[in-house]
Amino acid sequence: MTRLTGRVQKVRDELEQLLDDDDDMADLYLSRKLAGASSPLSGSGAPNWYPASPTIGSKISRASRASLTIRGDENDVEELEMLLEAYFMQIDGTLNKLTTLREYIDDTEDYINIQLDNHRNQLIQLELFLSSGTVCLSIYSLVAAIFGMNIPYSWNEDHPYMFKWVVIVAGAFCAFLFLVIVSYARHKGLVGS
C-alpha cells in the first residue's frame, strides 16, 4: 500500500511539473517534432534532428527553444495540456482513493487495538479476582494447618469443638477479606461494576 501510494505520488508530481513548465510541454508535442524532422533544415536536404534529440535539444538555449515554441501552433500545446490534465485528474483521484483507503486501514487498526485493550483489561480483572481469592485461601489454609497439626494441645482435650470454631471463624474472616478487596478494587475503578 505504501509503495503503491509512493509510485502514484511520484507520477502525480511529475505530471504536475510537466503541466507547470511550458517548455517541457512544447518538447512533449511529438507531432510537431515529426513534422519538423521531415522538413529540411537547409538546401542540403539533411533532416532537422536537433529539436527531437533530448541530449542536443537540452543544450539549446532557452531563447532558441522559446522561439521554436512561438513558431509552433499554440493549439497543439493546449491539446497536449488538456490530455495531461485529464491524466493528472485520474492520478489525483487514484491518490485520493489510496489516501482514503490508508485512513480506513488506520482506523480499523485503531479499532482492533481498542478491542484488544478491552480484552486485556478483562483478563487483568480476572487475574485480580483470582489473586485476591488465592491470598484469602492461603490465609485460611495457614490457620487450618496450624490448628490441624498432630501436636497435643491442653485446651483441645477440654474443648474438642474449638478446632471447628477456629476453622469456621477463619473461613468467615477470609471471605470477608475477599469482599473487602473486591469492594476496594471497585471503589478505585480497577474492576467494572
Side-chain angles (χ1 to χ4, degrees):
M1 177 77 183
T2 304
R3 284 186 288 162
L4 181 62
T5 304
R7 288 178 183 174
V8 170
Q9 182 68 40
K10 284 180 186 178
V11 170
R12 181 187 178 278
D13 292 343
E14 288 298 321
L15 282 176
E16 188 175 16
Q17 183 180 1
L18 283 174
L19 287 170
D20 289 342
D21 193 2
D22 290 336
D23 291 336
D24 288 340
M25 292 285 287
D27 289 342
L28 282 176
Y29 195 73
L30 300 178
S31 298
R32 184 183 308 149
K33 288 184 179 186
L34 182 63
S38 63
S39 68
L41 180 64
S42 60
S44 64
N48 183 8
W49 294 107
Y50 296 111
S53 172
T55 56
I56 297 174
S58 63
K59 294 178 184 176
I60 298 175
S61 69
R62 282 202 175 266
S64 63
R65 279 195 287 177
S67 66
L68 286 173
T69 305
I70 291 171
R71 275 188 253 149
D73 188 13
E74 291 297 325
N75 290 334
D76 297 340
V77 175
E78 288 177 9
E79 289 176 10
L80 178 64
E81 186 174 358
M82 287 182 359
L83 180 67
L84 286 178
E85 283 178 357
Y87 286 134
F88 179 77
M89 294 302 288
Q90 286 181 350
I91 291 293
D92 196 38
T94 304
L95 184 63
N96 287 339
K97 287 179 184 177
L98 286 173
T99 304
T100 304
L101 183 63
R102 183 64 183 172
E103 290 173 359
Y104 178 72
I105 289 172
D106 290 341
D107 291 343
T108 304
E109 286 177 354
D110 292 341
Y111 177 70
I112 289 172
N113 285 335
I114 288 170
Q115 284 185 335
L116 289 175
D117 289 342
N118 185 27
H119 289 297
R120 190 176 304 121
N121 289 340
Q122 289 175 353
L123 288 174
I124 289 172
Q125 289 176 2
L126 178 65
E127 183 183 3
L128 178 68
F129 279 123
L130 292 176
S131 297
S132 60
T134 304
V135 166
C136 293
L137 283 178
S138 64
I139 292 172
Y140 178 73
S141 298
L142 176 68
V143 170
I146 289 174
F147 284 101
M149 289 186 190
N150 290 329
I151 300 174
Y153 295 109
S154 60
W155 56 268
N156 196 14
E157 294 173 9
D158 296 337
H159 309 286
Y161 57 87
M162 189 59 114
F163 176 73
K164 293 177 189 175
W165 281 107
V166 168
V167 170
I168 291 172
V169 169
F173 174 75
C174 290
F176 176 74
L177 182 64
F178 178 75
L179 292 177
V180 167
I181 292 172
V182 170
S183 64
Y184 178 77
R186 284 191 181 174
H187 175 70
K188 288 296 182 178
L190 299 174
V191 177
S193 297

